[in-house]
Amino acid sequence: MLQSDAFSPAHSGSPADAPGVPAFLTVQLIGSLRIRRGDTVLNARTLGGPKPRQILEILLLSLGTPVSKDRLIEVLWEGHAPAEALPTLESYVSVLRRNIQPGSGKQGPLRTTTGGYVMDATMVDLDVFRFDQLLRQAQQSAPEAALKLLHEALSLATAPLLGDELLPAWAEDERELHSSRVLEATVLAAETASVAGAVSESIDWAQKALTMDPLNERAWLARVAGLERTGRYAEGLQSYEKCRRAMVRELGCAPGPGLKAAHARLLQATAESEGELSDVLSALLVLHGQLSRTTAPVAAAPQNVRQSLRDATVVINSFLVRAMSAA
């Protein structure tokens, strides 16, 4: 993440601020807009107004890729451009150049291309761009290296994208796209931490992912599996049930095979522990096992099987009677 002290009040004297010297920019789009050019710091209020600022943001989000003037006009005026949109756009770009690369003209990061403009990726250090690069690298790396990359990526993503842009539809669309990438990185961190043996960290990342998307099945699986591995069986069962209810209510479907398998393991592990709940679960597992093995009448089963089923029924009935009495 760009450190807050990197955006201290501007002062003169930096070579990058000298007339005619192309300016290298360090830009923060996550959270409030901040631009550092040498020792000069610019923010959303010092770029010449809302439209020049938005032009810069749009070009930065396409860093290194030209954006046509027609596309900029369409986005800026949301399909309702005035007749003088083209000269107005060009005047906004001139204002923007004077603010972000004074004295450099068209030789700074903001370049003119055929029919449009581009931000030169070799002259801009952009936090969103670095986040995406780190995520891509993590997806192709071994677990230990990937986890370090994901830590670095997620340290950048501590605020919404384009925090200064509250109204334009294009900004909301970009925020949603970025949020989906942050969610992907968080889920991947949970899964990667588990593979790397950092189970407690995996559980924490999974919970953060579920805060962003309560229906993310990969995050639920990472959390439930992590609770299972740390011996927190009751919490694991509670998490599975919370997931199951949410998916049935919101999606009309049950959890997938991975979560169901984890649930079965948790039930078995709880049944093998001490206490009344373990007795009840053991009885349920006996009954479930009998139902899974045969469709024949219970009377046709061997004597020892019939006795086990009777014992299981007694345990469950006794538990239910006491539970209803206490209700």
Side-chain angles (χ1 to χ4, degrees):
M1 177 186 292
L2 299 177
Q3 299 299 312
S4 57
D5 58 1
F7 297 107
S8 56
H11 61 274
S12 60
S14 168
D17 294 329
V21 177
F24 184 90
L25 305 179
T26 301
V27 183
Q28 172 183 299
L29 285 184
I30 300 174
S32 295
L33 175 65
R34 294 289 184 275
I35 302 170
R36 185 179 66 197
R37 184 190 68 241
D39 292 326
T40 298
V41 177
L42 305 172
N43 57 36
R45 297 184 300 276
T46 55
L47 292 172
K51 284 288 194 288
R53 179 185 71 237
Q54 290 177 25
I55 291 168
L56 177 62
E57 291 166 343
I58 294 166
L59 293 175
L60 286 168
L61 289 169
S62 298
L63 185 63
T65 301
V67 181
S68 70
K69 293 179 182 180
D70 288 342
R71 176 59 180 161
L72 286 169
I73 290 171
E74 179 185 353
V75 173
L76 287 174
W77 282 279
E78 298 182 342
H80 302 285
E84 66 279 7
L86 181 57
T88 302
L89 171 67
E90 292 170 345
S91 69
Y92 286 151
V93 171
S94 295
V95 169
L96 189 56
R97 278 198 171 110
R98 287 198 296 271
N99 282 287
I100 67 172
Q101 51 196 52
S104 298
K106 297 183 179 181
Q107 301 307 308
L110 174 49
R111 304 292 180 91
T112 299
T113 63
T114 302
Y117 305 98
V118 63
M119 290 297 294
D120 187 343
T122 67
M123 300 183 70
V124 179
D125 178 12
L126 177 64
D127 57 354
V128 182
F129 189 74
R130 281 188 286 133
F131 173 87
D132 290 340
Q133 282 185 317
L134 290 164
L135 176 55
R136 286 193 296 269
Q137 291 171 14
Q139 291 168 332
Q140 301 170 4
S141 301
E144 290 78 8
L147 194 55
K148 291 180 181 179
L149 292 166
L150 290 166
H151 283 170
E152 186 177 351
L154 289 166
S155 72
L156 294 168
T158 57
L161 181 68
L162 298 168
D164 296 313
E165 295 296 348
L166 303 179
L167 297 177
W170 67 264
E172 184 58 33
D173 292 342
E174 292 291 346
R175 269 193 289 269
E176 289 180 4
L177 286 171
H178 178 66
S179 294
S180 70
R181 294 195 294 271
V182 173
L183 175 61
E184 170 63 25
T186 307
V187 173
L188 185 59
E191 295 171 336
T192 304
S194 178
V195 174
V199 183
S200 294
E201 182 180 342
S202 172
I203 295 171
D204 290 341
W205 283 122
Q207 186 55 50
K208 289 179 182 178
L210 291 170
T211 301
M212 291 183 271
D213 179 8
L215 296 174
N216 190 288
E217 191 163 356
R218 287 170 56 197
W220 277 115
L221 180 57
R223 177 170 173 77
V224 170
L227 292 170
E228 176 192 2
R229 289 178 63 184
T230 53
R232 295 153 65 181
Y233 303 138
E235 285 184 67
L237 289 170
Q238 290 170 351
S239 289
Y240 175 85
E241 182 59 16
K242 186 176 181 180
C243 168
R244 186 193 68 79
R245 289 184 179 183
M247 294 187 72
V248 169
R249 181 178 63 251
E250 301 295 335
L251 304 177
C253 65
L259 272 167
K260 287 181 177 178
H263 182 236
R265 293 193 303 271
L266 286 166
L267 287 172
Q268 187 65 51
T270 305
E272 293 170 356
S273 63
E274 299 294 331
E276 183 181 29
L277 180 58
S278 68
D279 294 337
V280 175
L281 287 174
S282 295
L284 287 170
L285 289 171
V286 167
L287 294 175
H288 177 72
Q290 175 63 22
L291 289 171
S292 300
R293 283 191 295 271
T294 180
T295 57
V298 172
Q303 175 61 31
N304 63 329
V305 172
R306 294 200 303 273
Q307 185 59 48
S308 295
L309 295 175
R310 282 195 293 270
D311 292 343
T313 302
V314 169
V315 169
I316 294 170
N317 283 340
S318 176
F319 178 81
L320 291 175
V321 167
R322 289 197 303 278
M324 293 300 293
S325 298

